[in-house]
Amino acid sequence: MRLINRKPGRTLAVFLALVPFVALVVAYTVASEMRLAANPSDRLLPSLATLGETAARLFTEGDRRTGEILLWNDTWVSLARLGAGVAIAAATGLLAGLAVGLLPHARAALGTFVAVVSMIPPLAILPILFIVFGLGETSKVALIVLGITPVLIRDMSQRVLDIPRELVVKAETLGASSLVIALRVALPQVMPRLVQSVRLSLGPAWLFLIAAEAIASEAGLGYRIFLVRRYLAMDVILTYVAWITLLAFLIDWALRALSRRLYPWAGGTL
Amino acid sequence: MSFVTVRDLFQSYGGRPILERVNLDVPEGEFVSIVGASGCGKSTFLRLLLAEERPSRGEIRIEAQPPAQEPGRERGIVFQRYSVFPHMTVRDNVVAAEAFPARWGRLGRAAARAARDRAQQTLERIGLGHMGEAWPAQLSGGMQQRLAIAQALTARPRILLLDEPFGALDPGTRLAMHDFLAELRAETRMTVFMVSHDLEEAFKLGDRVIVFDKPRWDPTDPGAYGATITYDFDARNGGIPFQTIPSTRLTEETHVLQPA
């Protein structure tokens, strides 16, 4: 039987899914043990036990001065920035995408402009954002918005253009105005796609968030990682990285579940 | 009196003529089948009837009204594919035909309930009463086309356009759809234009079968001339060929490349 036609059973599938994770942990443990054997005070690859202790401390113990648990505080601050940025970008992308995709005049006016703007490297204009918006929350949210909106607009425009011409004509013959076609034909059809695009742009969104926090911030997950880097606190950095990864994965999973729930007609997507 | 009047219709894309001097008079209630080889302009003609495109020259009028600028409620359409809205339930697809002319595309609560009841009756009549809550993707091809026809008729168009509506269906379903369409037509006496690839279907359903072909042919430049109506058959008596040829200068020639 050809390899392309061999399918794993359920148990094997679960096992195979676990293999890379286990391999990663094993590789880390071995490397860590080797370094610690050579130098017990090595800080680069702390043992899993040390990592566990640090994680427990970070998640439960408050700051000695304020009693606030820094990790949770960092998490809320970062999630608020990320949420605001992604929400603004998604709304803008959806509206502009509908306009560009449905209205030839909007397409003529915005199509090339969006294509050019999307080529600006967002990190290159981060200094401008800090100068214009100051070092507060606005500049960090603005970086996320500027970073992912052009891609979302382009993707949404294309999705609207991809709606079969037949469906639009059909709506016209049923007496729908441009507004009704936008609201009742185009909007519902691109919503599942919007969720999908937002899921894909979460990666860049985290990148811009952490970059902005690393450069100028007083709290946040990215800020903390770059702060403790000075003390070579690998145990803290690794805990934060794992925590960010888990958060990102959970958000992605939640969006996917939401999309399946809200748009059952769209069929399953990745 | 002529209900649909087509006068001196020309259509060309980028200088390439597709249709030339098409003239047609169709009385109200007639079922016109449109046949012809691929690329002979029959789909272009249907798009012109639909007002999705406007002709380079000439005009199409329904009941002497000014030619339409864009598709509207007076023209109903059923396509071969993508004929219903995939994001609405089967029943909402029928309700949409009543709700779309509203400002926001939705009806008020009482009107919506009434429209849903009417839609349910429509679905019962076309044998989809039990599928009201299903998504169109859950329907078979024949069911989807039945739904599409019901949806188009709910808007009460003056003319119904069918673009190879049964082209994607298996032969058995296709026969059932013929009966379904014939029944609906007997009820509504609607004026219908149907593009078809299937001659048998065209003669069986149509009162009249018109054939699109190129009356002039340049073997060194096959795209030099456009197509027009070359045959106009009366198909009421089971399609016993009785023809009126619109052009007097027409010669019978098969446009198949002959070996030199």
Side-chain angles (χ1 to χ4, degrees):
Chain A
M1 204 168 161
R2 289 182 189 82
L3 281 175
I4 55 165
N5 291 327
R6 287 175 185 234
K7 294 183 181 113
R10 201 169 166 72
T11 327
L12 185 59
V14 172
F15 172 75
L16 287 175
L18 285 174
V19 164
F21 292 103
V22 175
L24 182 70
V25 172
V26 168
Y28 180 87
T29 316
V30 171
S32 164
E33 299 256 318
M34 277 162 63
R35 284 191 73 95
L36 288 170
N39 173 13
S41 59
D42 177 69
R43 307 200 61 169
L44 276 187
L45 296 177
S47 71
L48 289 180
T50 321
L51 277 178
E53 282 163 28
T54 310
R57 178 169 58 79
L58 287 173
F59 275 101
T60 54
E61 279 180 30
D63 186 64
R64 240 167 289 159
R65 203 147 42 81
T66 58
E68 212 174 16
I69 300 177
L70 286 175
L71 185 136
W72 289 108
N73 186 42
D74 288 338
T75 305
W76 301 136
V77 169
S78 286
L79 284 183
R81 289 168 183 157
L82 187 82
V86 171
I88 294 171
T92 317
L94 182 64
L95 284 177
L98 281 174
V100 171
L102 285 175
L103 307 173
H105 280 91
R107 187 149 63 240
L110 289 178
T112 319
F113 180 70
V114 173
V116 170
V117 167
S118 66
M119 290 301 141
I120 299 174
L123 282 177
I125 51 169
L126 184 56
I128 305 177
L129 297 179
F130 280 139
I131 294 166
V132 174
F133 295 116
L135 299 177
E137 296 302 300
T138 319
S139 54
K140 297 174 190 75
V141 174
L143 179 69
I144 298 174
V145 172
L146 286 173
I148 63 176
T149 305
V151 180
L152 284 176
I153 293 180
R154 291 181 83 178
D155 197 37
M156 283 300 104
S157 318
Q158 193 54 51
R159 292 310 137 197
V160 176
L161 285 170
D162 287 348
I163 293 174
R165 181 79 205 146
E166 286 91 336
L167 290 182
V168 178
V169 172
K170 179 96 205 196
E172 286 182 75
T173 64
L174 298 180
S177 62
S178 301
L179 179 70
V180 171
I181 290 174
L183 288 177
R184 296 224 47 203
V185 180
L187 179 68
Q189 298 226 25
V190 294
M191 277 310 285
R193 191 54 216 202
L194 177 71
V195 177
Q196 218 179 335
S197 301
V198 164
R199 284 173 58 202
L200 288 176
S201 46
L202 275 174
W206 276 102
L207 166 72
F208 297 131
L209 172 74
I210 289 172
E213 287 180 344
I215 292 169
S217 190
E218 281 150 11
L221 296 166
Y223 161 75
R224 196 68 55 198
I225 290 180
F226 278 79
L227 182 75
V228 301
R229 180 188 61 117
R230 297 176 201 166
Y231 315 115
L232 220 65
M234 279 294 277
D235 49 346
V236 177
I237 295 179
L238 286 173
T239 307
Y240 266 75
V241 170
W243 177 233
I244 291 173
T245 311
L246 180 68
L247 285 175
F249 180 78
L250 287 178
I251 293 171
D252 185 66
W253 178 83
L255 281 174
R256 179 176 155 200
L258 183 77
S259 176
R260 287 204 172 162
R261 186 83 184 257
L262 291 179
Y263 313 109
W265 52 270
T269 49
L270 286 174
Chain B
M1 205 207 104
S2 163
F3 182 65
V4 178
T5 317
V6 180
R7 281 290 165 267
D8 282 329
L9 199 72
F10 284 71
Q11 179 70 318
S12 47
Y13 297 136
R16 280 285 184 203
I18 304 296
L19 292 178
E20 291 186 348
R21 205 173 297 120
V22 178
N23 284 290
L24 186 67
D25 289 290
V26 177
E28 185 160 15
E30 199 167 52
F31 191 124
V32 182
S33 299
I34 304 169
V35 298
S38 295
C40 69
K42 54 189 192 303
S43 295
T44 304
F45 183 62
L46 200 79
R47 280 201 295 277
L48 290 168
L49 280 173
L50 181 60
E52 190 186 347
E53 298 175 5
R54 269 165 291 162
S56 320
R57 273 160 63 191
E59 58 180 35
I60 298 174
R61 290 174 188 266
I62 300 180
E63 266 199 333
Q65 284 170 355
Q69 301 291 307
E70 56 179 5
R73 251 174 112 76
E74 71 280 9
R75 294 150 157 85
I77 176 84
V78 174
F79 293 105
Q80 180 178 351
R81 296 169 60 219
Y82 306 117
S83 45
V84 290
F85 300 112
H87 60 281
M88 295 182 186
T89 61
V90 169
R91 191 188 304 127
D92 284 347
N93 260 289
V94 180
V95 173
E98 293 191 40
F100 272 14
R103 185 174 166 74
W104 299 97
R106 288 183 189 280
L107 296 167
R109 191 168 298 183
R113 195 175 312 122
R116 268 202 299 279
D117 290 344
R118 278 195 296 277
Q120 188 59 39
Q121 284 170 18
T122 308
L123 291 179
E124 304 285 354
R125 218 173 58 222
I126 64 171
L128 294 177
H130 59 298
M131 298 296 270
E133 298 298 325
W135 301 106
Q138 292 166 278
L139 300 183
S140 71
M143 287 170 158
Q144 284 192 23
Q145 289 309 78
R146 256 186 285 168
L147 174 62
I149 293 170
Q151 182 191 45
L153 289 178
T154 303
R156 308 202 169 284
R158 314 292 307 271
I159 58 173
L160 179 64
L161 307 169
L162 308 171
D163 191 358
E164 295 185 37
F166 315 130
L169 305 179
D170 61 88
T173 313
R174 198 182 260 238
L175 286 178
M177 290 301 292
H178 291 168
D179 294 344
F180 170 70
L181 188 60
E183 213 172 279
L184 268 184
R185 209 178 87 75
E187 244 171 73
T188 57
R189 301 311 305 168
M190 176 88 56
T191 310
V192 185
F193 291 83
M194 179 181 75
V195 167
S196 179
H197 261 117
D198 182 347
L199 278 178
E200 202 182 319
E201 175 181 276
F203 277 95
K204 177 178 166 190
L205 292 173
D207 296 326
R208 187 174 173 186
V209 178
I210 57 177
V211 183
F212 274 83
D213 199 358
K214 297 182 177 179
R216 293 179 291 170
W217 179 257
D218 181 347
T220 60
D221 186 6
Y225 300 108
T228 188
I229 299 174
T230 54
Y231 290 91
D232 187 344
F233 295 103
D234 190 315
R236 270 170 298 192
N237 295 320
I240 294 160
F242 152 68
Q243 61 175 23
T244 44
I245 301 172
S247 167
T248 48
R249 302 198 311 130
L250 200 77
T251 50
E252 276 226 45
E253 256 185 279
T254 52
H255 296 142
V256 177
L257 284 176
Q258 306 280 348

